[in-house]
Amino acid sequence: MANGKFIVFEGIDGAGKSTQIALLKKALEAMGHTVWQTAEPTDLQTGKMLRAALAGKDERSASEMASLFVLDRIAHNKEIEKALAAGKTVICDRYYYSSLAYQGSLCDYEWVRHMNYACPDIRHPDLCVFLDLAPKDAIARITARGEATEIYENEDTLSLFRDTFHRVFATLNDRVAIVNAAPAPEVIAAEVLAAVKEIL
């Protein structure tokens, strides 16, 4: 049995990752693929600690956050490897690109990059889909959802993170599809599926 493919979705908060992941999962299943959908932070203990910090309930430094994400990611990779070995296509909402863009903007970028990119227990994805959206549009979507905001969800911070995402992609050798996340969901989905078909 051939190993499955590992696809990661990235984007600033409000870019529409959840919508596009659901649409891609449906499309791939219709093509006969078995899909395992996952996300970071995980539901493991490290992931719960991260979620508490992201919600503003437990204050942590950027360095602490970066380290916790690496621990959570290493544990997560054990599950990812099992799914891939079983021939499943893995779709993950956020991965090390978020650590480089978010924590890498707030503490030493090269340190965060090395912890993630050079770790032998952290797999490099087959494809990263980056949903690119202007921060003001992202904030409008977040506000429209009416949900509690996380600590990074303001326009200045999202602008910094978006710029850093682009810097990250320019310095890594990973395969990245940058997709305009402003059009209608079905338009975005068609572009995403076209990029994914290139690695299947």
Side-chain angles (χ1 to χ4, degrees):
M1 180 185 294
N3 279 9
K5 297 296 184 180
F6 181 26
I7 303 162
V8 169
F9 274 77
E10 291 283 8
I12 59 174
D13 298 86
K17 295 187 308 305
S18 297
T19 297
Q20 292 305 317
I21 287 170
L23 290 172
L24 178 62
K25 182 175 185 286
K26 183 178 179 180
L28 289 176
E29 288 175 341
M31 293 165 59
H33 295 270
T34 301
V35 178
W36 182 54
Q37 183 179 334
T38 186
E40 293 189 353
T42 68
D43 291 327
L44 303 170
Q45 189 58 41
T46 43
K48 291 175 183 177
M49 293 166 71
L50 284 162
R51 291 182 192 281
L54 290 167
K57 298 175 182 176
D58 186 8
E59 187 173 342
R60 293 185 181 274
S61 70
S63 294
E64 282 182 295
M65 293 290 284
S67 301
L68 279 171
F69 268 113
V70 169
L71 290 173
D72 195 44
R73 192 160 294 128
I74 289 170
H76 192 199
N77 263 257
K78 294 176 182 176
E79 298 177 347
I80 291 170
E81 293 293 347
K82 287 179 184 176
L84 293 172
K88 297 177 182 179
T89 298
V90 176
I91 303 177
C92 186
D93 184 346
R94 296 206 180 280
Y95 200 54
Y96 57 58
Y97 309 97
S98 284
S99 288
L100 272 63
Y102 284 60
Q103 286 76 48
S105 296
L106 304 172
C107 60
D108 187 276
Y109 174 82
E110 287 302 325
W111 173 67
V112 178
R113 178 185 180 278
H114 182 75
M115 276 200 304
N116 285 276
Y117 209 67
C119 179
D121 294 322
I122 294 178
R123 171 182 279 266
H124 295 216
D126 294 294
L127 175 68
C128 171
V129 176
F130 179 66
L131 300 176
D132 196 19
L133 188 67
K136 63 179 178 58
D137 295 330
I139 291 295
R141 289 183 182 179
I142 293 167
T143 303
R145 290 197 306 241
E147 299 172 358
T149 57
E150 292 189 342
I151 58 174
Y152 299 136
E153 291 176 348
N154 62 78
E155 191 168 340
D156 288 344
T157 305
L158 292 182
S159 294
L160 172 65
F161 293 158
R162 183 192 186 197
D163 291 344
T164 310
F165 264 120
H166 284 285
R167 174 189 168 194
V168 166
F169 299 140
T171 59
L172 300 182
N173 293 321
D174 293 11
R175 183 172 188 144
V176 179
I178 298 177
V179 177
N180 180 4
E186 60 271 17
V187 175
I188 302 166
E191 188 172 346
V192 168
L193 184 58
V196 169
K197 284 181 176 178
E198 292 182 6
I199 66 161
L200 296 177

